[in-house]
Amino acid sequence: MKRELGTSGLAGGPEFDCDDRFALPHTFVGAVAESVERKPFVVQVEGDSMAKARICGDSYAVVNPAEEILDGDAALVKVGSRYVIRWLYWKPNGGCELRAASEKFPEMSLDAAQLRGAIPSVLGKVTWTFLRPLVGL
């Protein structure tokens, strides 16, 4: 089974318009919601904060808002005007902690009130990543 996904160089999920579409196997995507706001999408990754987790700069991440995010899952989160992919750990009080795979990046702690507000917001679980192969040297 294949799913149609939109792509963009900008992280933002349902917030952006995109004409590029391609199909991915169901195993890359996970559950697919009927509502447009919760459809899977693809973002291009920048930076090296999650490289040790094999989420490298210039790779593409499949983000699925309909998939449940469990402790330790990679998630796309909007923090202020930035979008970050981090491991997410839920706190008993309803907040969460965001951790990068690289120790160069500090942990971020968000309380429940911050998560309910417009900023930051958890956009979805990263279900798969892929990278273009290098050209021979």
Side-chain angles (χ1 to χ4, degrees), residues 20-92:
D20 295 339
R21 302 236 181 253
F22 60 95
L24 288 175
H26 179 71
T27 55
F28 288 15
V29 178
V32 177
E34 291 298 317
S35 72
V36 173
E37 295 82 25
R38 296 186 45 84
K39 293 272 187 203
F41 57 95
V42 174
V43 294
Q44 186 169 10
V45 177
E46 296 177 358
D48 62 352
S49 65
M50 293 296 285
K52 290 181 180 177
R54 295 190 295 181
I55 304 173
C56 306
D58 292 329
S59 66
Y60 294 87
V62 178
V63 179
N64 190 343
E67 280 287 307
E68 181 181 8
I69 301 170
L70 304 174
D71 276 351
D73 283 341
L76 178 65
V77 181
K78 184 174 182 180
V79 181
S81 61
R82 298 181 321 134
Y83 294 89
V84 298
I85 293 177
R86 296 288 191 269
W87 287 320
L88 189 145
Y89 295 89
W90 297 109
K91 294 180 177 181

